[in-house]
Amino acid sequence: PIIGGLSNLALESMLTHTQSLRSLTLFYPCKPIEDKALAAASSGLKNNTTLRELTLEVSQGATTVSPILTSLRDHPLLRRLCLRGCVEDLTGLETVLQSKTSNITELDIDRRYTRQHVSIRGLTWVLRALAYRPMFTELGLRYCPLTRYEVGLLQLALRSIPSLQTLNLVRNNLGSDGVAELAPA
């Protein structure tokens, strides 16, 4: 569903009351979302008790996804979070990752359709928060330009995640120096 596309009550009700929903892809449109629609989607996600995987498809020009991200903070079963498309602001994700009740073990950020030179607001805080998530099994940062400082934070995070099984770093401007810095981790 598209946030703001269904009736607000229908989306909230579906997310809250469907007992078999395990995986969901929400499209975050490029047009501004009405506050009521955003509140309904956030409330539905916050009250959902069955979802295990959530993908947010973010259109170019979309406003911040932070209300959606922060609504996932105490989700009881959510394990995999995918952010795809024109993700330019991760504000709120660090709160989810720092929550003691969060069960997210897989994070995939794929900015393939974003202007590659645009940095991601909040990425530094997300990389810091990852250092406190030793149970992570998968991490993908595709098309996410990393500064030298962010490469250092990623190295620290990787050292504190012994259970990591999959790491996907594609088109991150790492270069040989960045790869050399990450290699010991």
Side-chain angles (χ1 to χ4, degrees):
I2 297 173
I3 299 173
L6 294 174
S7 82
N8 300 334
L9 291 177
L11 179 59
E12 184 175 10
S13 179
M14 178 194 75
L15 291 171
T16 301
H17 299 296
T18 304
Q19 294 301 308
S20 59
L21 186 63
R22 301 288 186 263
S23 180
L24 176 68
T25 298
L26 284 175
F27 293 95
Y28 213 96
C30 58
K31 63 181 181 182
I33 300 174
E34 294 178 5
D35 290 342
K36 288 191 284 187
L38 193 54
S42 296
S43 173
L45 287 168
K46 187 174 185 175
N47 294 319
N48 176 278
T49 58
T50 61
L51 198 60
R52 289 185 172 84
E53 179 177 332
L54 176 64
T55 299
L56 289 176
E57 293 274 352
V58 182
S59 299
Q60 189 169 5
T63 55
T64 181
V65 295
S66 65
I68 298 294
L69 293 175
T70 54
S71 70
L72 303 171
R73 182 176 178 201
D74 298 317
H75 197 285
L77 297 176
L78 188 65
R79 300 274 189 265
R80 180 171 177 75
L81 178 60
C82 303
L83 302 170
R84 301 225 190 306
C86 299
V87 180
E88 295 184 8
D89 189 352
L90 296 174
T91 305
L93 182 55
E94 78 284 355
T95 304
V96 175
L97 295 175
Q98 290 172 342
S99 170
K100 293 190 186 319
T101 56
S102 173
N103 291 308
I104 294 175
T105 58
E106 300 174 27
L107 176 63
D108 185 23
I109 301 170
D110 184 346
R111 300 178 65 230
R112 187 175 324 229
Y113 305 108
T114 306
R115 296 166 289 172
Q116 299 308 307
H117 64 279
V118 175
S119 62
I120 308 171
R121 255 177 274 126
L123 181 60
T124 298
W125 296 105
V126 168
L127 293 172
R128 285 182 181 163
L130 283 172
Y132 298 99
R133 304 294 303 187
M135 300 308 292
F136 248 71
T137 58
E138 290 186 29
L139 176 61
L141 297 171
R142 292 179 278 177
Y143 297 85
C144 299
L146 299 172
T147 65
R148 184 142 176 85
Y149 179 68
E150 290 167 338
V151 169
L153 290 175
L154 179 58
Q155 180 197 42
L156 291 174
L158 293 175
R159 286 181 180 214
S160 66
I161 307 174
S163 59
L164 192 66
Q165 298 169 7
T166 303
L167 177 63
N168 192 337
L169 300 173
V170 174
R171 300 252 175 141
N172 293 30
N173 303 334
L174 287 174
S176 56
D177 289 343
V179 172
E181 192 172 338
L182 291 178

